[in-house]
Amino acid sequence: MKINTVLFDLDGTLINTNELIIASFLHTLDHYHPGQYKREDVLNFIGPSLYETFSSINQEKVNEMIMMYREYNHKMHDQLVTEYDTVYETLEHLSYKGYKLGIVTTKLRDTVNMGLKWTGLDRFFETVVTLDDVKRAKPDPEPVLLALSKLDSLPEEAIMIGDNYHDILAGQNAGTKTAGVAWSIKGEKNLEKYHPDYMLVEMRDLLHVLEVELD
């Protein structure tokens, strides 16, 4: 069955929030655990939900740490967030060709909206599924299946694209095709361990995967 629906993770896939995320983690962790964490230590925290990450570090201070992280993250957002190369034109072309486009993210809706509006990508998406909308985050299939339901699409008509193993597993668990992105901060080889159907070197490679004609 031909793919007509494309679901994307947001952070690290469409927009480069890596420096913002790393800075937000280091700011928070240095407050609660001074001097214990360096840049390389927090790379593994990119992908899972904040609750999952902070509860593994300090169960008693989870909610405080999440609040501090989000406050700093929002304050620094526009200074540190950028859009990846070829993302805008690829989304524009897919939208023009009639593909149904959605976002599936572990972020909260207010932060998602900030990133989409800042980069101008908000105009392309028919649905955005955030952590607010589900009980179980990726890699559980619930967020992907919810997005497909909102788009009136079947799993076999869809592909899930992301920079983290949570994205690949969520797509696989939901029954979609999957694609990893080679610009993942954790590295292409790390993502290949989870056997995505495709690996995109840059976002416009997606047009070739989907066999979209370039006008």
Side-chain angles (χ1 to χ4, degrees):
M1 188 175 291
K2 188 171 174 62
I3 291 173
N4 60 29
T5 303
V6 188
L7 303 178
F8 298 89
D9 174 53
L10 182 61
D11 288 4
T13 301
L14 296 176
I15 60 176
N16 188 350
T17 52
N18 290 327
E19 293 307 317
L20 175 64
I21 292 170
I22 291 167
S24 300
F25 272 123
L26 290 176
H27 171 80
T28 305
L29 291 169
D30 198 51
H31 178 82
Y32 287 94
H33 301 278
Q36 290 187 32
Y37 291 89
K38 298 178 181 178
R39 179 186 174 89
E40 57 269 25
D41 298 324
V42 304
L43 295 183
N44 287 331
F45 301 156
I46 298 176
S49 67
L50 292 178
Y51 184 85
E52 185 179 339
T53 295
F54 286 131
S55 62
S56 71
I57 295 171
N58 189 332
Q59 187 70 50
E60 295 180 357
K61 301 284 188 179
V62 174
N63 292 330
E64 286 181 34
M65 294 173 83
I66 290 174
M67 285 179 63
M68 177 172 283
Y69 175 101
R70 287 184 175 146
E71 181 180 344
Y72 184 86
N73 189 277
H74 284 202
K75 182 176 73 173
M76 301 300 293
H77 182 277
D78 291 357
Q79 295 181 43
L80 296 177
V81 172
T82 58
E83 170 196 316
Y84 286 110
D85 289 344
T86 78
V87 164
Y88 189 94
E89 53 262 46
T90 300
L91 293 175
E92 188 174 45
H93 200 70
L94 290 174
S95 180
Y96 171 71
K97 288 292 187 177
Y99 281 83
K100 293 184 277 188
L101 306 178
I103 284 177
V104 181
T105 175
T106 53
K107 292 179 76 172
L108 295 178
R109 187 164 297 275
D110 58 347
T111 315
V112 171
N113 288 341
M114 286 175 66
L116 288 176
K117 289 177 180 176
W118 176 245
T119 54
L121 300 179
D122 52 333
R123 68 197 71 185
F124 298 120
F125 295 100
E126 298 175 52
T127 191
V128 178
V129 173
T130 72
L131 195 59
D132 299 288
D133 304 313
V134 296
K135 292 181 179 178
R136 297 175 297 277
K138 297 177 293 185
D140 192 277
E142 182 189 353
V144 174
L145 294 173
L146 178 58
L148 293 175
S149 175
K150 289 176 176 289
L151 292 168
D152 195 25
S153 298
L154 298 172
E156 54 265 34
E157 300 174 317
I159 185 169
M160 176 70 207
I161 299 168
D163 69 309
N164 201 283
Y165 75 91
H166 292 73
D167 307 308
I168 307 305
L169 294 180
Q172 291 170 347
N173 291 336
T176 73
K177 292 289 188 182
T178 58
V181 298
W183 55 92
S184 167
I185 194 170
K186 296 179 184 178
E188 180 179 350
K189 289 184 178 179
N190 180 70
L191 207 51
E192 284 176 343
K193 295 176 186 175
Y194 301 93
H195 310 293
D197 295 292
Y198 307 98
M199 185 66 70
L200 309 178
V201 176
E202 55 183 357
M203 189 56 78
R204 64 180 160 204
D205 292 344
L206 181 58
L207 301 176
H208 301 294
V209 167
L210 299 177
E211 299 179 351
V212 178
E213 292 183 6
L214 299 173
D215 298 335

